[in-house]
Amino acid sequence: MAKITYIEHNGREHVVDVANGLTVMEGARDNNIPGIEADCGGACACSTCHAYVVPDWVEKLPAKEAMEEDMLDFAWQPDPARSRLTCQLKVTDDLDGLVVQLPEKQI
Ligand code: FES
């Protein structure tokens, strides 16, 4: 279980508990958090689950796979240092306290 904070582009924060084994995208979807669309359902094929990881967390997350890296090119205003596809981030206890900021829009 990890407590994850999702911050909408307008600054509204959502702090939710997400079970291990789900993804950061599923945590947003299951809690009806606006800003994550996840059109492909988590198959790393749409880039509409894009979020910016706060700087403190960038190094603590597992590295991006090549597929995620490629799909991020299609995201709305990706930041090479902080952007992630949240469907590719599996929740574990290690992600407790993670904070992600949601982009102004998805694509
Ligand atoms: Fe489509 Fe993440 S949900 S790439």
Side-chain angles (χ1 to χ4, degrees):
M1 175 86 74
K3 200 173 277 300
I4 300 179
T5 301
Y6 301 83
I7 305 175
E8 291 182 59
H9 188 69
N10 63 13
R12 192 158 161 240
E13 288 189 17
H14 305 261
V15 183
V16 297
D17 290 325
V18 185
N20 290 354
L22 293 177
T23 64
V24 175
M25 176 276 277
E26 289 167 327
R29 183 198 61 195
D30 294 353
N31 289 283
N32 298 315
I33 295 170
I36 295 277
E37 294 173 8
D39 291 340
C40 77
C44 200
C46 73
S47 85
T48 63
C49 64
H50 170 217
Y52 305 105
V53 176
V54 294
D56 282 0
W57 271 90
V58 169
E59 296 295 323
K60 296 185 204 166
L61 296 176
K64 289 173 232 174
E65 303 271 340
M67 195 165 68
E68 181 183 353
E69 195 83 67
D70 289 348
M71 277 313 298
L72 272 169
D73 289 343
F74 300 97
W76 171 256
Q77 296 187 344
D79 174 339
R82 301 200 300 126
S83 286
R84 297 298 301 252
L85 294 179
T86 54
C87 72
Q88 299 303 299
L89 293 172
K90 269 263 190 284
V91 173
T92 65
D93 291 345
D94 290 345
L95 265 59
D96 189 41
L98 174 67
V99 181
V100 296
Q101 296 169 306
L102 306 180
E104 183 179 357
K105 59 182 182 173
Q106 298 287 356
I107 308 187

